[in-house]
Amino acid sequence: MSFRFVTKSIHAYLIDYPVAIVLIAAPFVLELGQSKPAAMWLSVIAGAAALLLAALTDHPTGLVRIIPYWLHLWVDRAVGVVFVVAPFAFEFAGLDAWYYWVLAAAVLLTTTVLNAPEEQLATRSASDRRTAA
């Protein structure tokens, strides 16, 4: 059994839009910004950008589909790195810092360790058909 189960469809339907909404709403619910106001606004801006990225990506829930999925994943990974660095760069403390470190871990884990590359899925299903025949 492979741990790489996050396919393009799972990413599109279950991750992109819900995570974007959480990024926009969570700072207000958690009252982020206690250490620095930027802690709140970074998440809100990242959420708005995530909505736009999802809408422009060539996957099942994309509305305009001009960004290839592989590029979408690399943007997600870059955001994960930004979330690792942001608490140090902006001097976030306490919950403000931990919020970004937990998000960074989730984003990087999802887009690397758990991500199922589409090419491997296509190759595997083709080999499964040959084996069955």
Side-chain angles (χ1 to χ4, degrees):
M1 180 176 162
S2 176
F3 287 107
R4 303 188 84 172
F5 65 91
V6 180
T7 62
K8 182 193 282 191
S9 292
I10 288 172
H11 191 107
Y13 288 109
L14 301 179
I15 296 175
D16 278 342
Y17 293 103
V19 168
I21 291 166
V22 167
L23 285 169
I24 293 168
F28 300 102
V29 173
L30 297 174
E31 297 181 2
L32 293 185
Q34 300 299 316
S35 64
K36 300 278 181 160
M40 179 180 66
W41 294 110
L42 177 61
S43 184
V44 172
I45 292 166
L51 280 175
L52 183 62
L53 180 65
L56 296 177
T57 298
D58 183 17
H59 64 22
T61 61
L63 302 176
V64 182
R65 300 185 184 189
I66 57 175
I67 297 172
Y69 180 65
W70 65 266
L71 181 57
H72 176 115
L73 287 176
W74 279 104
V75 170
D76 284 351
R77 292 173 186 136
V79 169
V81 172
V82 168
F83 285 172
V84 169
V85 174
F88 300 108
F90 297 114
E91 300 176 347
F92 298 161
L95 179 62
D96 291 347
W98 281 103
Y99 173 79
Y100 287 100
W101 289 328
V102 168
L103 285 175
V107 168
L108 294 172
L109 183 68
T110 302
T111 60
T112 57
V113 176
L114 302 178
N115 183 58
E118 296 300 312
E119 295 80 21
Q120 288 181 358
L121 291 176
T123 304
R124 188 174 1 168
S125 61
S127 66
D128 288 347
R129 279 182 290 209
R130 276 182 265 155
T131 308

